[in-house]
Amino acid sequence: DQQVKQNSPSLSVQEGRISILNCDYTNSMFDYFLWYKKYPAEGPTFLISISSIKDKNEDGRFTVFLNKSAKHLSLHIVPSQPGDSAVYFCAARENSGTYKYIFGTGTRLKVLA
Amino acid sequence: DTGVSQDPRHKITKRGQNVTFRCDPISEHNRLYWYRQTLGQGPEFLTYFQNEAQLEKSRLLSDRFSAERPKGSFSTLEIQRTEQGDSAMYLCASSSTGTAYEQYFGPGTRLTVT
């Protein structure tokens, strides 16, 4: 059973526009969420995180929004750049003192120049 | 510090053989994690260590899998009697107490079992 879902396997966006990547989860006990970016032949790179006690976290061009009632989070990238083209994973942690993260299946973002 | 390193980057083995992978975390990081990633999926948690103690193991980590971190520095992941279903990318990550939520990943070891 997939507890963290990224239902869009791919997304194409024009350079300079906003990219919105979505992630849904089923476990209401998740208390911390991460977004990672992955280029081919490299390991995932941490982008941004959000605690369940917040609804928004911003870092430069990246903003993550959390809607706990809908069990939904999204990553906004503004403005999108060609270098943002990568696979993006969301990950969630159970509120149990664990450091185990459950990852979604990823969304491939392509930013068109 | 050059980040998390993994060795080898690629491994091709025949079914039934044993393989061992190594991970060197970022030097000041006390937590180390192993994940497995198959095509079209996100990383799946296998196990993690705090210093030399293995604190959590996934159900995915069958009896054929064993991980060690003997001195709290590098770690090894061994797969015994490999099966074709073990073919995957094996990722290692590390984190420090101060940034426990941010895991820094290595480039992975791609295992192909023929």
Side-chain angles (χ1 to χ4, degrees), chain A residues 3-112:
Chain A
Q3 296 189 69
V4 179
K5 301 176 186 178
Q6 295 177 256
N7 292 318
S8 298
S10 63
L11 174 69
S12 291
V13 171
Q14 208 65 35
E15 180 180 7
R17 305 295 291 269
I18 184 171
S19 295
I20 300 176
L21 297 105
N22 295 305
C23 180
D24 296 294
Y25 61 96
T26 57
N27 188 340
S28 58
M29 298 299 290
F30 287 152
D31 73 330
Y32 210 84
F33 303 88
L34 308 175
W35 282 94
Y36 282 87
K37 176 172 70 175
K38 186 181 184 304
Y39 293 119
E42 296 182 12
T45 303
F46 170 77
L47 265 180
I48 192 168
S49 63
I50 189 166
S51 165
S52 60
I53 62 173
K54 295 187 175 182
D55 55 17
K56 178 181 174 181
N57 189 25
E58 193 171 355
D59 184 2
R61 297 186 297 114
F62 302 92
T63 303
V64 56
F65 295 92
L66 176 62
N67 182 332
K68 284 181 63 179
S69 61
K71 296 191 183 69
H72 176 84
L73 65 157
S74 60
L75 174 68
H76 293 211
I77 307 173
V78 184
S80 301
Q81 300 173 353
D84 296 329
S85 297
V87 178
Y88 289 78
F89 294 98
C90 66
R93 189 191 80 155
E94 288 185 351
N95 184 18
S96 60
T98 179
Y99 289 93
K100 170 186 174 181
Y101 281 87
I102 298 172
F103 282 73
T105 53
T107 296
R108 183 177 301 277
L109 173 66
K110 187 171 185 179
V111 179
L112 307 170

